[in-house]
Amino acid sequence: MRSIPFHKPSIGREEVDEVVDTLTSGWLTTGPKAKKFEAEFSEYIRMKHSVAVNSCTAALHLALEAIGLRAGETVVVPTMTFAATAEVVRYFNARPLLVDCNLTDFNMDVADAGRRIEGALQKGEKIRAIIPVHYGGQICDMTAVGKLARRYDLKIVEDAAHCCPSYFQASNSAPWQGLGDSSDICCFSFYANKTITTGEGGMACTNNPEYADRMRIMSLHGISRDAWKRFSADGSWYYEITAPGFKYNLTDIAAAIGLHQLRKADEFYCKRMLLADYYTELLCDVDELILPVQWNDRLHSWHLYVIRLKLDQLSIDRAGFIEELKRTGIGTSVHWMPLHMHPYYRATYGYQPGDLPKSRQLYEQIVSLPVYPEMTDADVEYVSETVRRLICKHRKVPAHLLEKRITVGDPVLA
Ligand SMILES: *Cc1c(COP(=O)(O)O)cnc(C)c1O
């Protein structure tokens, strides 16, 4: 049987050689390669400062620390996201104000955010920041998020875990701009299945030098200078602890992988885009499916290709659909069960599934199909054909056809 896993990383000779070079260089932890990775990432993503860390979760934590989040304050977070986006708010004993998604690109519903912010303000909450998540690599409406943030004086920390690369236009005639232009800090993930990987890793990017300094210091024990300089020939043994920081630095071993992944980021992106276009071409006439949208003014990184099942037209549910795909050797995933439906957030804040109705509805319908550079056109054909076959098998016969069948059989002349 054919086997198409949900994800396979693209690791080439260059990454392997660079890691070996690091292993034999005498310097394993944060050092010259991490510095180089930061510099090249800044240039690629078009932001002034990049702080390399060991996960996107760490980057988000450092970002909220840098903007000065305090215990008891509130941060606006979409419920349609991964655990990390809200847990970092809880690290501060602050409250994530969960917001519904829209049903077009599954990003944060900014109007809903406005309503929930008003409600929270009336209860006397102090709202400090908003964390837009770019779902699957489809950039959310940053113009609307920016307006909202200005209106309520919120800092913007982007969860750009799915976005390497990502560019957008403020309007159809405006020039293309990088992500971080409209936010305070932008956080990227190099987890194993993300668009580029270092195994585990992340980057916190900003154009604000003060945020950059603070995040750099807090990423390594709150120490006033980088440890690697301390031990290198031009450094000194002396350092000062300026705050109780964290241990979030990226190793040179990981950065070695990242340097080459970054150089291939555009090539990876092009391959994913072609695969996504091919899926859309092969599946666009299946009435029981809703395929992902792509906006003309926003580049979709195609980290995810998510289809929606029109369940009212099918005699199978999403779990059954995934199970049948699995039996044909196709790995899929679900992004995500909304945060407000998880036991911790239900128990802590009393959320009911219907409190954020669109996300709950979406959750029951979505399936993420495999999309990564190692896939071939034949793989996409196999997945698409299998999806189409399963839909045909489980298509509900419309009620009016059933009725016809009965009347046709009526012995009219009897
Ligand atoms: C993967 C992911 C993260 C966390 O990234 P790590 O590098 O694993 O910490 C955060 N947010 C979103 C939306 C993600 O998909």
Side-chain angles (χ1 to χ4, degrees):
M1 189 182 69
R2 223 169 154 142
S3 165
I4 303 178
F6 179 64
H7 187 77
K8 241 191 266 179
S10 301
I11 299 291
R13 197 67 241 166
E14 301 83 358
E15 284 88 338
V16 173
D17 289 345
E18 194 75 45
V19 168
V20 171
D21 179 67
T22 307
L23 292 176
T24 51
S25 73
W27 196 273
L28 304 184
T29 185
T30 307
K33 289 194 181 168
K35 293 290 133 193
K36 195 167 175 200
F37 185 37
E38 286 175 343
E40 293 188 9
F41 196 83
S42 292
E43 194 177 329
Y44 180 76
I45 219 75
R46 306 186 199 178
M47 291 181 78
K48 291 208 183 86
H49 311 277
S50 294
V51 179
V53 287
N54 56 23
S55 72
C56 179
T57 309
L60 288 164
H61 186 190
L62 290 172
L64 293 181
E65 203 280 334
I67 61 151
L69 180 63
R70 299 272 174 270
E73 294 181 342
T74 294
V75 177
V76 181
V77 173
T79 189
M80 223 12 158
T81 187
F82 181 61
T85 323
E87 87 194 22
V88 292
V89 175
R90 294 298 300 134
Y91 291 177
F92 294 83
N93 212 5
R95 168 171 130 85
L97 178 64
L98 299 180
V99 166
D100 214 351
C101 66
N102 72 63
L103 290 176
T104 315
D105 62 13
F106 316 163
N107 278 317
M108 181 190 288
D109 177 342
V110 181
D112 186 63
R115 283 188 294 273
R116 288 178 201 267
I117 287 171
E118 283 294 337
L121 287 174
Q122 259 158 33
K123 284 190 233 151
E125 292 181 39
K126 163 93 182 94
I127 307 175
R128 169 73 70 168
I130 185 166
I131 312 183
V133 177
H134 306 294
Y135 183 102
Q138 174 67 80
I139 298 181
C140 77
D141 186 348
M142 286 305 289
T143 309
V145 170
K147 261 188 214 154
L148 193 78
R150 277 191 298 279
R151 178 155 176 211
Y152 294 104
D153 193 20
L154 310 177
K155 300 287 184 200
I156 305 177
V157 173
E158 286 176 90
D159 182 338
H162 300 178
C163 302
C164 185
S166 276
Y167 304 101
F168 71 104
Q169 295 169 287
S171 70
N172 264 327
S173 53
W176 287 87
Q177 55 183 335
L179 267 190
D181 291 358
S182 44
S183 69
D184 292 283
I185 300 168
C186 195
C187 302
F188 297 87
S189 175
F190 311 131
Y191 179 69
N193 71 9
K194 297 285 159 71
T195 56
I196 68 168
T197 185
T198 59
E200 298 277 1
M203 197 73 87
C205 302
T206 180
N207 290 323
N208 178 324
E210 279 163 31
Y211 291 155
D213 281 349
R214 180 69 184 179
M215 291 194 292
R216 189 172 298 289
I217 286 170
M218 293 306 281
S219 73
L220 201 63
H221 304 299
I223 288 175
S224 62
R225 57 171 51 201
D226 292 356
W228 73 284
K229 278 193 201 145
R230 187 156 42 92
F231 290 115
S232 66
D234 59 337
S236 88
W237 55 269
Y238 185 82
Y239 64 83
E240 289 179 348
I241 298 164
T242 57
F246 313 106
K247 183 67 169 75
Y248 281 163
N249 55 306
L250 188 76
T251 67
D252 262 21
I253 303 171
I257 306 172
L259 279 170
H260 293 281
Q261 289 276 299
L262 185 61
R263 286 167 201 167
K264 299 174 189 174
D266 286 345
E267 177 196 330
F268 289 164
Y269 160 67
C270 288
K271 284 195 181 158
R272 285 192 311 274
M273 181 183 60
L274 291 174
L275 297 169
D277 284 350
Y278 199 28
Y279 268 132
T280 300
E281 183 187 327
L282 295 175
L283 293 172
C284 65
D285 61 341
V286 181
D287 287 341
E288 292 78 5
L289 293 180
I290 302 173
L291 303 183
V293 293
Q294 180 168 17
W295 306 113
N296 286 335
D297 55 354
R298 298 178 226 170
L299 182 148
H300 193 321
S301 79
W302 294 113
H303 167 55
L304 301 176
Y305 189 94
V306 180
I307 58 171
R308 266 171 88 187
L309 307 177
K310 293 186 188 166
L311 293 174
D312 56 336
Q313 299 176 29
L314 294 167
S315 60
I316 190 170
D317 65 6
R318 193 266 316 277
F321 192 80
I322 285 181
E323 190 50 41
E324 292 207 20
L325 279 174
K326 197 165 142 199
R327 271 190 242 134
T328 66
I330 298 171
T332 57
S333 192
V334 173
H335 296 86
W336 296 267
M337 176 151 103
L339 292 181
H340 77 279
M341 293 172 71
H342 283 276
Y344 172 75
Y345 291 100
R346 293 184 70 156
T348 309
Y349 300 108
Y351 283 114
Q352 295 296 318
D355 288 349
L356 296 109
K358 289 188 218 154
S359 303
R360 182 228 188 142
Q361 179 196 342
L362 194 63
Y363 165 59
E364 286 161 5
Q365 302 172 330
I366 47 179
V367 181
S368 304
L369 300 181
V371 55
Y372 45 91
E374 299 297 302
M375 281 180 85
T376 62
D377 282 359
D379 291 336
V380 174
E381 284 158 17
Y382 179 68
V383 175
S384 303
E385 275 315 303
T386 310
V387 165
R388 183 185 286 276
R389 196 164 44 74
L390 288 180
I391 295 279
C392 285
K393 182 173 152 199
H394 297 287
R395 189 173 269 156
K396 265 190 201 161
V397 182
H400 69 277
L401 289 183
L402 280 176
E403 275 164 32
K404 245 189 217 152
R405 214 179 284 170
I406 295 163
T407 49
V408 166
D410 269 356
V412 179
L413 299 174

